[in-house]
Amino acid sequence: MSVKKVMIVGAGQMGSGIAQVFAQSGFQVILNDVTEDALNKGKASIEKILTKDVTKGKITEEDKSKALNNLSLSGNIADAASCDLVVEAIVENMDVKTKVFQELDRVTPPHAILASNTSSLPITEIAAVTNRPEKVIGMHFMNPVPVMKLVEIIRGLQTTDETYETVAETAERLNKTSVEVNDFPGFAANRILLPMINEAIYAVYEGVASPEDIDTVMKLGMNHPMGPLQLADFIGLDTCLYIMEVLHDGLGDSKYRPCPLLRKYVKAGWLGKKSGRGFYEYT
């Protein structure tokens, strides 16, 4: 099956980024969200990034126009009835996601593949609430989506080879590099990244060094483009805590125990860049 028309459910930072790369790659894209405000913000974000790319000479004005012409907005999930692929990019909450997948299962054509951009939740469990578990898969994009080349493709227990191959081919058409990952808590990226971030937070908690010095060690000593604590602030400390809890609960190993300092910051509302304060302050 060749994918031609796609719906992205969720017009936040990830959803709008995913919609942009699909539209720029020649797919017909419907960006869906429950509120008009979210849709308008999502589209404005896409237009802003494309305009910057024109200014920098990365794309032409014609490229920008083509991408925007490929994009439409929708407040009705039933508009997925004409789509070959749906990518869900909403809040990391299993109850909310499964409700959306049940609705998508009801409104999409039988051939449609249902993908989740979840960064940690089990694809097998999401697939089980549908009548097409063989056509449910994880398609985990990295943030910011237009820049980052990687897509983790996560096979649930029931995902067929045909579904995987279609999604891998689609990722290639987006000019992304995909990796095949089996359905374990945190997949590959976050199973490796988040414990490193959590350990950096423990180093602050135990007084090993300041956040600035820990980040400097990782940038200059390990050649990381961004230190783990700055990265945690960009991801959102609430998201970091949530993923560590998924790893701890799913794998049952004490090495994944979230650092108490991470819990304290989240309880204080210090969530990182989005709240103005995390391990660093943002104006």
Side-chain angles (χ1 to χ4, degrees), residues 123-138:
I123 300 302
T124 300
E125 191 175 336
I126 294 170
V129 304
T130 73
N131 292 310
R132 64 180 91 189
E134 72 285 353
K135 291 186 178 295
V136 178
I137 198 164

Side-chain angles (χ1 to χ4, degrees), residues 51-160:
T51 300
K52 272 187 182 175
D53 285 348
V54 171
T55 305
K56 291 176 180 177
K58 291 181 180 178
I59 62 171
T60 65
E61 193 66 49
E62 186 185 4
D63 293 331
K64 174 187 166 183
S65 296
K66 280 182 181 175
L68 292 174
N69 286 337
N70 286 336
L71 181 69
S72 61
L73 306 181
S74 164
N76 186 357
I77 207 163
D79 290 336
S82 59
C83 292
D84 306 307
L85 169 67
V86 180
V87 182
E88 164 273 314
I90 60 171
V91 63
E92 280 286 275
N93 179 289
M94 182 59 83
D95 291 339
V96 179
K97 285 190 191 294
T98 50
K99 281 175 187 167
V100 167
F101 270 79
Q102 284 172 325
E103 186 67 10
L104 288 169
D105 188 38
R106 189 179 66 79
V107 301
T108 51
H111 75 273
I113 293 170
L114 308 181
S116 176
N117 181 56
T118 179
S119 57
S120 60
L121 294 173
I123 300 302
T124 300
E125 191 175 336
I126 294 170
V129 304
T130 73
N131 292 310
R132 64 180 91 189
E134 72 285 353
K135 291 186 178 295
V136 178
I137 198 164
M139 201 173 187
H140 180 210
F141 291 84
M142 305 294 136
N143 188 27
V145 182
V147 176
M148 302 297 276
K149 296 287 288 182
L150 180 69
V151 180
E152 276 189 306
I153 301 178
I154 301 102
R155 296 181 76 128
L157 182 65
Q158 312 94 320
T159 308
T160 61

Side-chain angles (χ1 to χ4, degrees), residues 200 204 209-217 227-230 261 265 278-280:
V204 175
S210 69
E212 293 84 355
D213 286 346
I214 287 166
D215 280 350
T216 299
V217 165
L229 299 166
Q230 185 186 6
L261 185 62
Y265 274 32
F279 288 98
Y280 300 92

Side-chain angles (χ1 to χ4, degrees), residues 8 10-25 29-32 38-54 59 61 63-73 145-146:
I8 313 300
Q13 186 177 21
M14 290 302 292
S16 60
I18 295 166
Q20 179 187 325
V21 298
F22 271 101
Q24 282 188 274
S25 301
V29 183
I30 303 170
L31 181 59
N32 169 272
L39 286 170
N40 290 335
K41 281 181 180 174
K43 188 177 182 188
S45 172
I46 293 168
E47 287 179 339
K48 183 179 177 182
I49 293 167
L50 291 174
T51 300
K52 272 187 182 175
D53 285 348
V54 171
I59 62 171
E61 193 66 49
D63 293 331
K64 174 187 166 183
S65 296
K66 280 182 181 175
L68 292 174
N69 286 337
N70 286 336
L71 181 69
S72 61
L73 306 181
V145 182

